[in-house]
Amino acid sequence: MPDPAGGFAAGTVGRTRLSRSLRLLFVLAVMPFLALVVFVLAALGFALLPAAGRTQQAEGEPTLYVCASLAHADIVLPSRDSLVDWSGLFPAVTPPDLPSHAYLAFGWGDLVFFQETPTWADARVSTALAALAGRHDTALRVVAVNPPVANPDCLPLAVDREGRQALIAHIRASLQPDSAGRAQQRPGGVGLEAFYLAKGRYGPFNTCNQWVAGALAAAGLPHARFAPFSFSVTWPLRKGDSG
């Protein structure tokens, strides 16, 4: 029986408030997980239902590549061909003795992550979270490599002259040049590897793989419109080959 002072009512209100607080805490705890699930499902959907590329008349044109690890993808182009000689823009990775058949791997991403993560074994959660939060400048990572003909992590791309011109323009447009129009190199890199200041901010919806997907779109190749993961880059290309 409730007492005249309203103790019963007070106890009921207290339990109701506690129940609401617990429900709120549960929702707050579950929401990030649900958001991650939706994010991954969206990435899977766009990768499985990509935008189709156009027909490429690539006979006689050099082979280009996409090379991908579990987390990151690069566009790989000849260091020089009939359309471009990258040595004028990226001299740090194109010394005079660089073989004429060498390729350059281009990747976009968070500058500090590139600088502090020379290998995946060096990756730190704090660096990755800061990158996802867009706290740092971005960079174009350029590495001189051998032609990745036999590399199982690399997919060959048959791209015509128009598509190659678009890829080159995509790379150039990603740079943040100085007042004289020169690429701005930043510290870091091992061997024939260099980082150049780039435009944009890294984030969950603007990743290194999204940048590569944008390059594929410019070249008229199959691509996912939303491509946060490396499989978002490679699956549409494999699907295009099989189709």
Side-chain angles (χ1 to χ4, degrees):
M1 177 178 181
D3 63 41
F8 180 81
T12 301
V13 171
R15 286 193 294 273
T16 301
R17 288 176 177 171
L18 177 61
S19 177
R20 288 176 178 171
S21 297
L22 290 174
R23 285 200 297 269
L24 178 60
L25 288 174
F26 176 77
V27 170
L28 291 176
V30 169
M31 280 183 64
F33 175 75
L34 291 177
L36 179 61
V37 170
V38 171
F39 186 87
V40 173
L41 289 176
L44 287 169
F46 278 99
L48 291 171
L49 298 170
R54 60 177 175 78
T55 301
Q56 301 275 344
Q57 302 296 330
E59 292 81 4
E61 300 293 338
T63 301
L64 314 185
Y65 299 87
V66 161
C67 296
S69 66
L70 286 175
H72 176 84
D74 287 327
I75 289 284
V76 185
L77 282 68
S79 61
R80 60 177 68 92
D81 62 25
S82 60
L83 292 181
V84 67
D85 181 347
W86 292 110
S87 61
L89 193 58
F90 305 119
V93 297
T94 53
D97 60 347
L98 185 72
S100 60
H101 64 271
Y103 274 62
L104 297 183
F106 296 92
W108 177 93
D110 182 87
L111 173 60
V112 174
F113 189 90
F114 278 147
Q115 291 171 326
E116 296 184 358
T117 315
T119 69
W120 286 113
D122 300 303
R124 294 185 300 172
V125 173
S126 59
T127 308
L129 290 177
L132 287 171
R135 292 176 51 188
H136 308 134
D137 288 332
T138 54
L140 200 65
R141 175 178 175 266
V142 188
V143 188
V145 297
N146 290 316
V149 176
N151 189 331
D153 296 324
C154 297
L155 297 176
L157 305 176
V159 184
D160 58 22
R161 190 177 184 87
E162 178 186 349
R164 208 159 81 255
Q165 286 175 324
L167 273 175
I168 293 167
H170 179 81
I171 292 169
R172 289 183 180 276
S174 300
L175 291 167
Q176 183 65 64
D178 62 15
S179 58
R182 296 169 299 201
Q184 301 185 70
Q185 187 176 352
R186 289 295 181 260
V190 178
L192 294 180
E193 174 190 39
F195 308 130
Y196 296 89
L197 191 63
K199 298 174 183 175
R201 288 285 169 178
Y202 196 93
F205 298 96
N206 192 34
T207 65
C208 51
N209 301 304
Q210 189 70 53
W211 181 83
V212 174
L216 298 177
L221 294 167
H223 63 280
R225 292 184 176 88
F226 176 54
F229 304 113
S230 59
F231 70 74
S232 306
V233 172
T234 57
W235 286 7
L237 294 171
R238 295 184 189 278
K239 188 174 186 294
D241 287 340
S242 63

